[in-house]
Amino acid sequence: MSNVKVGVLYSRVRVEEKLLFEAFERRGIALDLIDDQKLIFDITDVTNHPFKDYDVIVERCINHSRALYSLKILNDQGVKTVNTAMCADICGNKLMTTSALAAAGVAQPKALVAYTAESAIEAIERLGYPVVLKPTVGSWGRLLSKVNDRDAAETILEHKETLGSYHHSIFYIQEYVKKPGRDIRAFQVGPETICAIYRTSPNWITNTARGGSSSNCPITPELADICTRAARACGGGMVALDLFEDPDRGLLVNEVNYTMEFRNSIAPTNVNIPERMVDFCLQVAKDGWNAANGWKNGGPQLASISLADGASA
């Protein structure tokens, strides 16, 4: 399939992008690199636009809004992408991810949403201290707050209302799940959970981007089942799922990430993640999104509205 036309939409060439480029190169596929900082879309042209000849475009933007809007435009112009705008819309917003997982019956931590500081305090105390306050859009564990008491809650909520954007006044409040010093990051590519790592840290935030260490996590039937169901609920594709191990409830899906980072997971799992990603992208190019995800009868029926940056009253 060396004659396939593949584009990569990117912001900056990081380790992950270099590994993907090399994996495509080993298949004899020349990539077109599309820099989102130089990109101009004619969103009124759906027939003669410059992307119409691509078999697939792989999204690797750092900025969520650029990724989401680009994928939306490309999908509306009939261009196959990995991942889709639907997947980015759901996974890029924690509120929408939680809602989609709940609708699909996927186990996850309890979460409440409130729109004022007063109702947020009531929601926090309904869950009971400690809780975790999260921005609905964000990554790498940034701006997460573990709230241990009412004094801290009132201070953080006031700061969010005063200093934050409108988006920070959508209060997403999640129960604090006491972890065994680790959580799980699992990688789902289409219908298969290909590998997973434990992320271990003495800090309550275990992201490897924040200093957590990684080690191999075996793929059990329970882990594969919940990851596959969660990915399907969020639109499928190539996603990285963060899970907690709760002693009473079992595995809980915490977050689903649609532009997955994998540099620290190849060595401990001994799985060539970029090669598996290339396999999926080429199958999307050849057979389409539903077939690549192993979906029959059209796949899941998902409804989405964009709640990304810029939403206003």
Side-chain angles (χ1 to χ4, degrees):
M1 204 174 176
S2 59
N3 60 347
V4 65
K5 187 173 176 62
V6 180
V8 177
L9 177 63
Y10 75 104
S11 307
R12 192 170 66 230
V13 179
R14 301 166 293 176
V15 173
E16 279 80 2
E17 284 70 44
K18 289 179 181 176
L19 292 169
L20 267 178
F21 297 168
E22 291 169 359
F24 274 108
E25 186 178 355
R26 284 192 289 273
R27 309 291 181 94
I29 296 171
L31 297 174
D32 288 346
L33 304 186
I34 305 167
D35 185 345
D36 67 9
Q37 299 179 75
K38 300 176 181 176
L39 194 57
I40 299 173
F41 282 112
D42 178 352
I43 60 173
T44 60
D45 184 353
V46 296
T47 54
N48 296 309
H49 56 83
F51 308 102
K52 60 184 175 59
D53 294 328
Y54 282 96
D55 295 297
V56 66
I57 291 179
V58 184
E59 180 278 314
R60 294 295 307 174
C61 298
I62 294 174
N63 182 284
H64 170 56
S65 294
R66 291 183 189 176
L68 177 61
Y69 296 145
S70 298
L71 291 170
K72 172 62 176 169
I73 294 166
L74 290 168
N75 288 170
D76 284 348
Q77 290 179 332
V79 180
K80 296 174 186 172
T81 59
V82 177
N83 286 309
T84 63
M86 176 70 77
C87 175
D89 203 15
I90 295 174
C91 297
N93 185 302
K94 295 176 179 62
L95 186 159
M96 292 186 62
T97 303
T98 300
S99 185
L101 294 177
V106 177
Q108 60 183 324
K110 186 80 171 173
L112 303 178
V113 171
Y115 302 124
T116 66
E118 292 76 16
S119 58
I121 284 287
E122 182 179 342
I124 289 170
E125 300 201 330
R126 189 184 300 176
L127 282 178
Y129 297 102
V131 298
V132 179
L133 270 171
K134 296 182 174 183
T136 54
V137 176
S139 57
W140 301 324
R142 290 177 301 193
L143 298 179
L144 302 188
S145 301
K146 181 184 173 188
V147 183
N148 294 316
D149 56 37
R150 183 166 182 129
D151 286 345
E154 290 177 342
T155 301
I156 293 169
L157 293 172
E158 181 182 9
H159 285 181
K160 281 181 169 290
E161 279 200 320
T162 304
L163 302 176
S165 65
Y166 166 80
H167 223 55
H168 284 277
S169 63
I170 307 295
F171 298 110
Y172 178 99
I173 305 151
Q174 187 184 68
E175 71 163 308
Y176 177 76
V177 177
K178 189 172 177 55
K179 298 181 287 188
R182 69 186 189 189
D183 67 5
I184 295 171
R185 166 152 289 196
F187 295 87
Q188 185 81 18
V189 176
E192 184 182 357
T193 309
I194 62 168
C195 61
I197 59 169
Y198 291 118
R199 303 188 301 185
T200 303
S201 172
N203 194 301
W204 70 279
I205 298 176
T206 50
N207 299 48
T208 55
R210 301 281 293 269
S213 61
S214 59
S215 59
N216 184 51
C217 170
I219 303 297
T220 64
E222 179 192 16
L223 179 59
D225 175 66
I226 193 170
C227 288
T228 301
R229 290 190 294 113
R232 180 183 173 94
C234 294
M238 308 186 304
V239 293
L241 303 100
D242 299 338
L243 301 102
F244 297 148
E245 301 163 281
D246 184 88
D248 300 318
R249 293 172 289 178
L251 295 173
L252 306 174
V253 176
N254 179 38
E255 293 182 6
V256 185
N257 307 277
Y258 72 94
T259 307
M260 59 188 199
E261 297 175 350
F262 50 84
R263 71 180 73 176
N264 297 318
S265 304
I266 298 172
T269 62
N270 200 30
V271 172
N272 194 327
I273 298 172
E275 291 286 350
R276 300 298 301 272
M277 295 170 71
V278 169
D279 287 340
F280 181 80
C281 294
L282 295 181
Q283 190 174 1
V284 170
K286 178 175 179 287
D287 302 322
W289 186 256
N290 287 342
N293 280 284
W295 296 339
K296 300 177 181 176
N297 304 319
Q301 298 299 312
L302 302 172
S304 177
I305 56 171
S306 180
L307 298 177
D309 293 350
S312 60

